[in-house]
Amino acid sequence: MLTPVALHPQFEEGTTLDRFLLETLRDHPEATGQFVTLINQVTLAAKLVSARVNRAGLAGMFGATGTMNIQGEYVQKMDVYANETFKRALEHAGVVCMIVSEEEEEIIGIPAPFTPGNYVFAMDPLDGSSNIDTNASIGTIFAVFRRKSASGQGEPGDVLRSGREMVAAGYVVYGAGTVLVLSTGQGVHGFTLDPSVGEFFLSHHDIRLSPETRSYSCNEAYSGSWDTRLQGWLSATKDPAAGWSARYIGSLVGDFHRNLVKGGVFLYPPSRKSPSGKLRLLYEAFPLAFLVEQAGGSATDGRVNILDRTLGSLHERTPLYIGNRDAVEEITRLLTT
Ligand code: AHG
Ligand code: MN
Ligand code: MN
């Protein structure tokens, strides 16, 4: 059974995301203004994508476009819609100097007549999009950095940097309900969209990973070509005495959200199919690592903490082990000894 999340007395029922941000960022005037506008634009895009996902079957949004993206994956119609929606919501608001998207090879600049702002926004506009036709959970994942360059359009150095430099990260999961999970470095908080009024309300205050739950989440079909030490770990988890369960949607955002709320570990190791791992460092591993640490967990690439990595190229891939600290540390220890 899900443990009801107690609201902080300051945040009684009915607290909107907007109010929450204004109150929690009050002591950080440098983070208000453009940052609040940025998050407001993210929520606008999220509502539009959520509405489209909910009626995808009616709106002709199932299936692929027939083209491949720069990652060599088939682009789904919803990938294109989500990418365009988040770009359009952010580019005109004067709050970002660049956007990096899974769906676009190059850095996306701010087109005239709009003005570049102080932040860098990196996104996986629609994660798990191959699941759209099956009605399984999908989502948007994003990372936010404050720009390093002084002004004008952003430069590569504004995004090729350490994960420790993120100022905020989050995701929106379009599941049975639409939930936005966000951290600005002061804990992890979840907001549920009430579609009847079009607002995100605080529903999960200060999410902490449950320390007890033991579930692992991976594509076990690839385990035959994993590192043998990891195969050993997987066998050990299957000892009935260990009390583990397996849960895998095949949608990172859905699998991560479940583990965040109920406890668990997600693994995407290198395998014959994807020798460097499949997931992307900038807009999948970085933001989820930021969130998991804020919730008391951890994330590594099997050697080092994900947040201690420095991005070398926009679409760099990484192995990923993320979730409860004890499990992630055990896997990392096994892989480094
Ligand atoms: P995306 O849809 O953004 O390309 O991400 C794909 C993902 C991720 O959501 C999931 O964890 C992983 O691919 C699943 O891969 P497998 O099908 O290889 O298990
Ligand atoms: Mn993805
Ligand atoms: Mn995607």
Side-chain angles (χ1 to χ4, degrees):
M1 198 186 82
L2 270 180
T3 320
V5 180
L7 283 184
H8 187 282
Q10 185 188 348
F11 299 112
E12 72 270 16
E13 222 174 302
T15 298
T16 61
L17 172 58
D18 205 29
R19 174 181 162 199
F20 183 86
L21 281 177
L22 289 172
E23 295 193 6
T24 54
L25 296 176
R26 193 176 281 153
D27 300 336
H28 298 266
E30 76 287 355
T32 55
Q34 285 198 18
F35 182 78
V36 172
T37 303
L38 188 160
I39 299 298
N40 283 338
Q41 293 307 107
V42 167
T43 63
L44 170 63
K47 287 179 214 171
L48 290 165
V49 173
S50 174
R52 190 62 70 98
V53 165
N54 286 344
R55 56 191 172 82
L58 299 175
M61 296 300 283
F62 279 162
T65 57
T67 54
M68 268 186 173
N69 68 11
I70 37 121
Q71 326 272 345
E73 289 151 1
Y74 285 105
V75 177
Q76 307 292 312
K77 291 177 189 165
M78 275 305 302
D79 285 323
V80 175
Y81 180 79
N83 188 46
E84 291 302 317
T85 302
F86 276 87
K87 267 169 42 181
R88 295 288 97 85
L90 284 164
E91 66 186 6
H92 69 87
V95 297
V96 294
C97 64
M98 64 159 73
I99 298 169
V100 179
S101 166
E102 182 197 3
E103 298 302 329
E104 302 201 27
E105 186 163 8
E106 306 293 344
I107 287 171
I108 304 160
I110 304 306
F114 308 130
T115 319
N118 289 340
Y119 293 93
V120 171
F121 188 79
M123 64 172 169
D124 178 350
L126 205 60
D127 174 68
S129 56
S130 60
N131 284 318
I132 175 81
D133 297 3
T134 67
N135 221 15
S137 291
I138 51 179
T140 302
I141 311 175
F142 60 92
V144 182
F145 294 85
R146 188 184 290 276
R147 71 182 301 167
K148 265 181 161 169
S149 56
S151 58
Q153 296 286 343
E155 295 165 9
D158 288 318
V159 73
L160 299 177
R161 50 209 283 202
S162 161
R164 294 276 170 212
E165 295 179 68
M166 261 177 291
V167 293
Y171 61 82
V172 186
V173 58
Y174 313 105
T178 294
V179 177
L180 186 148
V181 174
L182 177 70
S183 179
T184 58
Q186 299 163 296
V188 181
H189 311 285
F191 303 84
T192 300
L193 177 64
D194 181 340
S196 63
V197 292
E199 277 284 0
F200 280 95
F201 291 97
L202 183 65
S203 51
H204 302 63
H205 184 261
D206 200 13
I207 304 170
R208 306 291 300 171
L209 267 158
S210 157
E212 274 112 44
T213 310
R214 296 223 162 270
S215 83
Y216 67 85
S217 183
C218 62
N219 192 331
E220 218 171 319
Y222 307 148
S223 61
S225 63
W226 289 357
D227 184 299
T228 50
R229 292 166 292 186
L230 206 49
Q231 292 181 2
W233 178 85
L234 187 61
S235 305
T237 64
K238 291 182 178 173
D239 179 338
W244 284 78
S245 293
R247 293 284 184 273
Y248 191 66
I249 300 170
S251 168
L252 173 64
V253 77
D255 283 309
F256 179 84
H257 185 67
R258 183 199 54 248
N259 290 350
L260 185 66
V261 173
K262 302 189 96 171
V265 61
F266 175 95
L267 304 75
Y268 207 113
S271 65
R272 189 175 303 132
K273 195 171 174 198
S274 28
S276 309
K278 179 181 183 186
L279 300 170
R280 277 55 56 108
L281 185 58
L282 174 59
Y283 39 79
E284 292 181 316
F286 268 177
L288 299 187
F290 185 94
L291 291 165
V292 88
E293 272 201 9
Q294 286 289 319
S298 96
T300 76
D301 63 5
R303 292 178 305 111
V304 299
N305 192 299
I306 290 287
L307 294 177
D308 292 329
R309 294 270 305 271
T310 295
L311 189 72
S313 61
L314 296 183
H315 302 287
E316 181 176 346
R317 293 180 192 266
T318 180
L320 180 63
Y321 308 90
I322 187 166
N324 283 79
R325 189 175 290 275
D326 52 353
V328 172
E329 282 175 358
E330 189 191 346
I331 291 170
T332 309
R333 207 169 33 248
L334 281 173
L335 290 174
T336 48
T337 49

PDB file of all heavy atoms in Angstrom, residues 69 71 73 79 102-103 123-130 139 141 280 283-284, ligand 3:
ATOM      1  N   ASN A  69      15.862   9.363 -35.731  1.00  0.00           N
ATOM      2  CA  ASN A  69      16.543  10.527 -35.154  1.00  0.00           C
ATOM      3  C   ASN A  69      18.052  10.292 -35.150  1.00  0.00           C
ATOM      4  O   ASN A  69      18.521   9.258 -35.625  1.00  0.00           O
ATOM      5  CB  ASN A  69      15.999  10.866 -33.758  1.00  0.00           C
ATOM      6  CG  ASN A  69      16.346   9.817 -32.717  1.00  0.00           C
ATOM      7  OD1 ASN A  69      17.158   8.926 -32.944  1.00  0.00           O
ATOM      8  ND2 ASN A  69      15.723   9.944 -31.559  1.00  0.00           N
ATOM      9  N   GLN A  71      19.898   9.490 -32.932  1.00  0.00           N
ATOM     10  CA  GLN A  71      20.308   8.359 -32.098  1.00  0.00           C
ATOM     11  C   GLN A  71      20.098   7.045 -32.846  1.00  0.00           C
ATOM     12  O   GLN A  71      20.314   5.973 -32.297  1.00  0.00           O
ATOM     13  CB  GLN A  71      19.470   8.297 -30.810  1.00  0.00           C
ATOM     14  CG  GLN A  71      19.051   9.635 -30.253  1.00  0.00           C
ATOM     15  CD  GLN A  71      20.089  10.213 -29.316  1.00  0.00           C
ATOM     16  OE1 GLN A  71      20.971   9.503 -28.885  1.00  0.00           O
ATOM     17  NE2 GLN A  71      19.983  11.489 -29.032  1.00  0.00           N
ATOM     18  N   GLU A  73      17.138   5.971 -33.735  1.00  0.00           N
ATOM     19  CA  GLU A  73      15.897   5.355 -33.263  1.00  0.00           C
ATOM     20  C   GLU A  73      14.722   5.920 -34.056  1.00  0.00           C
ATOM     21  O   GLU A  73      14.765   7.081 -34.484  1.00  0.00           O
ATOM     22  CB  GLU A  73      15.713   5.662 -31.762  1.00  0.00           C
ATOM     23  CG  GLU A  73      16.701   4.893 -30.895  1.00  0.00           C
ATOM     24  CD  GLU A  73      17.067   5.591 -29.596  1.00  0.00           C
ATOM     25  OE1 GLU A  73      16.547   6.692 -29.333  1.00  0.00           O
ATOM     26  OE2 GLU A  73      17.887   5.020 -28.860  1.00  0.00           O
ATOM     27  N   ASP A  79       6.940  12.105 -30.217  1.00  0.00           N
ATOM     28  CA  ASP A  79       8.273  12.683 -29.977  1.00  0.00           C
ATOM     29  C   ASP A  79       8.339  14.072 -30.606  1.00  0.00           C
ATOM     30  O   ASP A  79       8.845  15.024 -30.017  1.00  0.00           O
ATOM     31  CB  ASP A  79       9.374  11.828 -30.635  1.00  0.00           C
ATOM     32  CG  ASP A  79       9.678  10.528 -29.909  1.00  0.00           C
ATOM     33  OD1 ASP A  79       9.655  10.515 -28.671  1.00  0.00           O
ATOM     34  OD2 ASP A  79       9.970   9.535 -30.595  1.00  0.00           O
ATOM     35  N   GLU A 102      17.004  15.618 -27.089  1.00  0.00           N
ATOM     36  CA  GLU A 102      17.328  14.293 -27.630  1.00  0.00           C
ATOM     37  C   GLU A 102      17.008  14.229 -29.119  1.00  0.00           C
ATOM     38  O   GLU A 102      17.671  13.512 -29.862  1.00  0.00           O
ATOM     39  CB  GLU A 102      16.503  13.213 -26.904  1.00  0.00           C
ATOM     40  CG  GLU A 102      16.820  11.811 -27.377  1.00  0.00           C
ATOM     41  CD  GLU A 102      15.773  10.764 -27.016  1.00  0.00           C
ATOM     42  OE1 GLU A 102      14.753  11.109 -26.432  1.00  0.00           O
ATOM     43  OE2 GLU A 102      16.009   9.599 -27.340  1.00  0.00           O
ATOM     44  N   GLU A 103      15.997  14.968 -29.523  1.00  0.00           N
ATOM     45  CA  GLU A 103      15.527  14.855 -30.903  1.00  0.00           C
ATOM     46  C   GLU A 103      16.314  15.707 -31.887  1.00  0.00           C
ATOM     47  O   GLU A 103      16.033  15.660 -33.084  1.00  0.00           O
ATOM     48  CB  GLU A 103      14.034  15.218 -30.984  1.00  0.00           C
ATOM     49  CG  GLU A 103      13.128  14.302 -30.172  1.00  0.00           C
ATOM     50  CD  GLU A 103      13.235  12.822 -30.581  1.00  0.00           C
ATOM     51  OE1 GLU A 103      13.506  12.547 -31.760  1.00  0.00           O
ATOM     52  OE2 GLU A 103      13.086  11.952 -29.689  1.00  0.00           O
ATOM     53  N   MET A 123      16.658  18.465 -22.553  1.00  0.00           N
ATOM     54  CA  MET A 123      15.463  17.626 -22.356  1.00  0.00           C
ATOM     55  C   MET A 123      15.446  16.364 -23.206  1.00  0.00           C
ATOM     56  O   MET A 123      15.991  16.310 -24.304  1.00  0.00           O
ATOM     57  CB  MET A 123      14.203  18.428 -22.698  1.00  0.00           C
ATOM     58  CG  MET A 123      14.122  18.858 -24.155  1.00  0.00           C
ATOM     59  SD  MET A 123      12.503  19.590 -24.536  1.00  0.00           S
ATOM     60  CE  MET A 123      12.805  20.291 -26.166  1.00  0.00           C
ATOM     61  N   ASP A 124      14.809  15.375 -22.637  1.00  0.00           N
ATOM     62  CA  ASP A 124      14.306  14.235 -23.401  1.00  0.00           C
ATOM     63  C   ASP A 124      12.812  14.536 -23.488  1.00  0.00           C
ATOM     64  O   ASP A 124      12.077  14.342 -22.515  1.00  0.00           O
ATOM     65  CB  ASP A 124      14.579  12.930 -22.632  1.00  0.00           C
ATOM     66  CG  ASP A 124      14.024  11.720 -23.363  1.00  0.00           C
ATOM     67  OD1 ASP A 124      13.288  11.905 -24.345  1.00  0.00           O
ATOM     68  OD2 ASP A 124      14.333  10.596 -22.928  1.00  0.00           O
ATOM     69  N   PRO A 125      12.361  15.078 -24.621  1.00  0.00           N
ATOM     70  CA  PRO A 125      10.973  15.574 -24.677  1.00  0.00           C
ATOM     71  C   PRO A 125       9.946  14.482 -24.401  1.00  0.00           C
ATOM     72  O   PRO A 125       8.922  14.730 -23.772  1.00  0.00           O
ATOM     73  CB  PRO A 125      10.814  16.096 -26.104  1.00  0.00           C
ATOM     74  CG  PRO A 125      12.167  16.087 -26.714  1.00  0.00           C
ATOM     75  CD  PRO A 125      13.066  15.214 -25.901  1.00  0.00           C
ATOM     76  N   LEU A 126      10.225  13.279 -24.906  1.00  0.00           N
ATOM     77  CA  LEU A 126       9.310  12.172 -24.618  1.00  0.00           C
ATOM     78  C   LEU A 126      10.132  10.909 -24.414  1.00  0.00           C
ATOM     79  O   LEU A 126      10.692  10.369 -25.363  1.00  0.00           O
ATOM     80  CB  LEU A 126       8.300  11.994 -25.755  1.00  0.00           C
ATOM     81  CG  LEU A 126       7.014  11.319 -25.297  1.00  0.00           C
ATOM     82  CD1 LEU A 126       6.320  12.116 -24.207  1.00  0.00           C
ATOM     83  CD2 LEU A 126       6.081  11.118 -26.463  1.00  0.00           C
ATOM     84  N   ASP A 127      10.233  10.514 -23.176  1.00  0.00           N
ATOM     85  CA  ASP A 127      10.977   9.306 -22.829  1.00  0.00           C
ATOM     86  C   ASP A 127      10.025   8.116 -22.829  1.00  0.00           C
ATOM     87  O   ASP A 127       8.898   8.233 -22.351  1.00  0.00           O
ATOM     88  CB  ASP A 127      11.609   9.477 -21.450  1.00  0.00           C
ATOM     89  CG  ASP A 127      12.275   8.204 -20.990  1.00  0.00           C
ATOM     90  OD1 ASP A 127      13.289   7.831 -21.592  1.00  0.00           O
ATOM     91  OD2 ASP A 127      11.757   7.570 -20.046  1.00  0.00           O
ATOM     92  N   GLY A 128      10.525   7.005 -23.372  1.00  0.00           N
ATOM     93  CA  GLY A 128       9.685   5.797 -23.405  1.00  0.00           C
ATOM     94  C   GLY A 128       8.644   5.866 -24.500  1.00  0.00           C
ATOM     95  O   GLY A 128       7.613   5.191 -24.433  1.00  0.00           O
ATOM     96  N   SER A 129       8.912   6.675 -25.532  1.00  0.00           N
ATOM     97  CA  SER A 129       7.860   6.946 -26.528  1.00  0.00           C
ATOM     98  C   SER A 129       7.469   5.707 -27.328  1.00  0.00           C
ATOM     99  O   SER A 129       6.399   5.685 -27.927  1.00  0.00           O
ATOM    100  CB  SER A 129       8.271   8.079 -27.456  1.00  0.00           C
ATOM    101  OG  SER A 129       9.499   7.790 -28.059  1.00  0.00           O
ATOM    102  N   SER A 130       8.336   4.681 -27.300  1.00  0.00           N
ATOM    103  CA  SER A 130       7.934   3.466 -28.018  1.00  0.00           C
ATOM    104  C   SER A 130       6.755   2.794 -27.297  1.00  0.00           C
ATOM    105  O   SER A 130       6.122   1.893 -27.836  1.00  0.00           O
ATOM    106  CB  SER A 130       9.104   2.492 -28.151  1.00  0.00           C
ATOM    107  OG  SER A 130       9.548   2.122 -26.874  1.00  0.00           O
ATOM    108  N   GLY A 139       7.137   9.979 -20.470  1.00  0.00           N
ATOM    109  CA  GLY A 139       7.377  11.236 -19.751  1.00  0.00           C
ATOM    110  C   GLY A 139       8.344  12.171 -20.437  1.00  0.00           C
ATOM    111  O   GLY A 139       8.898  11.861 -21.490  1.00  0.00           O
ATOM    112  N   ILE A 141      11.839  14.412 -19.463  1.00  0.00           N
ATOM    113  CA  ILE A 141      12.876  14.559 -18.431  1.00  0.00           C
ATOM    114  C   ILE A 141      13.678  15.822 -18.765  1.00  0.00           C
ATOM    115  O   ILE A 141      13.990  16.063 -19.941  1.00  0.00           O
ATOM    116  CB  ILE A 141      13.833  13.339 -18.412  1.00  0.00           C
ATOM    117  CG1 ILE A 141      13.050  12.022 -18.405  1.00  0.00           C
ATOM    118  CG2 ILE A 141      14.776  13.408 -17.215  1.00  0.00           C
ATOM    119  CD1 ILE A 141      13.940  10.777 -18.509  1.00  0.00           C
ATOM    120  N   ARG A 280      21.188   8.414 -22.166  1.00  0.00           N
ATOM    121  CA  ARG A 280      21.985   9.607 -22.448  1.00  0.00           C
ATOM    122  C   ARG A 280      22.301  10.350 -21.154  1.00  0.00           C
ATOM    123  O   ARG A 280      21.460  10.483 -20.261  1.00  0.00           O
ATOM    124  CB  ARG A 280      21.232  10.537 -23.418  1.00  0.00           C
ATOM    125  CG  ARG A 280      21.370  10.194 -24.883  1.00  0.00           C
ATOM    126  CD  ARG A 280      20.986   8.801 -25.294  1.00  0.00           C
ATOM    127  NE  ARG A 280      19.637   8.390 -24.940  1.00  0.00           N
ATOM    128  CZ  ARG A 280      18.650   8.236 -25.815  1.00  0.00           C
ATOM    129  NH1 ARG A 280      18.852   8.419 -27.087  1.00  0.00           N
ATOM    130  NH2 ARG A 280      17.452   7.826 -25.416  1.00  0.00           N
ATOM    131  N   TYR A 283      20.423  14.389 -20.608  1.00  0.00           N
ATOM    132  CA  TYR A 283      18.995  14.636 -20.363  1.00  0.00           C
ATOM    133  C   TYR A 283      18.244  13.409 -19.847  1.00  0.00           C
ATOM    134  O   TYR A 283      17.024  13.412 -19.776  1.00  0.00           O
ATOM    135  CB  TYR A 283      18.316  15.214 -21.630  1.00  0.00           C
ATOM    136  CG  TYR A 283      18.810  14.596 -22.914  1.00  0.00           C
ATOM    137  CD1 TYR A 283      18.362  13.369 -23.329  1.00  0.00           C
ATOM    138  CD2 TYR A 283      19.765  15.250 -23.692  1.00  0.00           C
ATOM    139  CE1 TYR A 283      18.821  12.786 -24.483  1.00  0.00           C
ATOM    140  CE2 TYR A 283      20.253  14.672 -24.862  1.00  0.00           C
ATOM    141  CZ  TYR A 283      19.771  13.435 -25.249  1.00  0.00           C
ATOM    142  OH  TYR A 283      20.243  12.853 -26.398  1.00  0.00           O
ATOM    143  N   GLU A 284      18.980  12.330 -19.506  1.00  0.00           N
ATOM    144  CA  GLU A 284      18.335  11.202 -18.828  1.00  0.00           C
ATOM    145  C   GLU A 284      19.049  10.956 -17.492  1.00  0.00           C
ATOM    146  O   GLU A 284      18.451  11.067 -16.422  1.00  0.00           O
ATOM    147  CB  GLU A 284      18.351   9.949 -19.719  1.00  0.00           C
ATOM    148  CG  GLU A 284      17.443  10.120 -20.928  1.00  0.00           C
ATOM    149  CD  GLU A 284      17.384   8.918 -21.859  1.00  0.00           C
ATOM    150  OE1 GLU A 284      18.442   8.325 -22.166  1.00  0.00           O
ATOM    151  OE2 GLU A 284      16.276   8.586 -22.335  1.00  0.00           O
TER     152      GLU A 284
HETATM  153 MN    MN B   3      12.860  10.432 -25.985  1.00  0.00          MN
END
